[in-house]
Structures are given as structure tokens and as C-alpha cells.
Amino acid sequence: EVQLVESGGGLVQPGGSLRLSCSASGFTFSNYGMKWGRQAPGKGLEWVSTISSASYSTFYSDSVKGRFTISRDNAKSTLYLQLNSLKTEDTGMYYCARVQDAKPTSVGTQVTVSS
């Protein structure tokens, strides 16, 4: 059974930073491209970043490009998202997923950016 558990969210002031983690189990993590998405209150899900299985390529949405950095540690079956220069509009529930998955299956971790 595929299990993904996000952590690292919290309350941070605008301009601050957070590092999200996603611990994976139940599948061979190193064989899959992975992605991070977020859902703001009252809005739809937005996929913001992807990374290939061996970290050769990454993608960022325009809304986070230059501020967020995706990475992974295949030895630890863990995906990361470094969030820098946070803005209030970055507030939302953050999810990780395999690239092939249309929707998240995990609980997510809440990021709140507020002064």
C-alpha cells in the first residue's frame, strides 16, 4: 500500500522559510517521479513542483519559481520542498504525490503565511 506522510508545515511570517518533508513507503520510491501540490482555502489543487526519479530534472510553476526548491533522497525514500521568501498567497495545505497520481492520497501538511 502506497503511503505518503508530509511534515514540516507551520505558521511563518511573510518572507520566512519552511522545509517540508514527505516520507514514502509501500512502493519503490527511487522508481517514481514525485511532485508537490497545494490547495489554498476555497481554491482548487495546484501542482507546484515535480522532480524526476533520479533528480535529473525539476519543474516549478510560475507562482513558486525562484522561491521553492524540490529535492529528494532516494536512500531515505523522502521528498523535500524548501520554501523561501514565503508570501501570504502561499498559504494552504501541501501534499506530495507520485507524478502519475492525479490526486493526493495523503493528509498533507498545513502552511500558513501570516504576520
Side-chain angles (χ1 to χ4, degrees):
E1 178 189 0
V2 173
Q3 284 200 319
L4 297 165
V5 180
E6 301 91 345
S7 61
L11 173 64
V12 63
Q13 293 186 337
S17 298
L18 286 172
R19 189 192 195 203
L20 308 184
S21 299
C22 168
S23 178
S25 61
F27 65 102
T28 304
F29 180 74
S30 59
N31 287 353
Y32 289 84
M34 297 294 295
K35 60 188 178 182
W36 283 98
R38 67 185 182 186
Q39 187 163 21
K43 296 189 176 180
L45 179 66
E46 175 192 17
W47 295 111
V48 298
S49 185
T50 63
I51 187 168
S52 61
S53 58
S55 303
Y56 291 142
S57 64
T58 57
F59 165 82
Y60 299 94
S61 66
D62 287 343
S63 60
V64 307
K65 193 176 299 181
R67 301 186 298 118
F68 291 8
T69 303
I70 192 170
S71 62
R72 64 190 295 162
D73 185 335
N74 285 346
K76 295 181 179 180
S77 296
T78 303
L79 178 72
Y80 303 100
L81 188 67
Q82 178 69 41
L83 288 62
N84 295 330
S85 302
L86 281 162
K87 305 175 181 180
T88 55
E89 52 262 44
D90 294 318
T91 293
M93 190 67 77
Y94 283 68
Y95 303 93
C96 62
R98 297 179 302 180
V99 167
Q100 66 192 63
D101 297 329
K103 296 186 296 185
T105 58
S106 50
V107 172
T109 187
Q110 176 69 38
V111 172
T112 303
V113 184
S114 175
S115 55

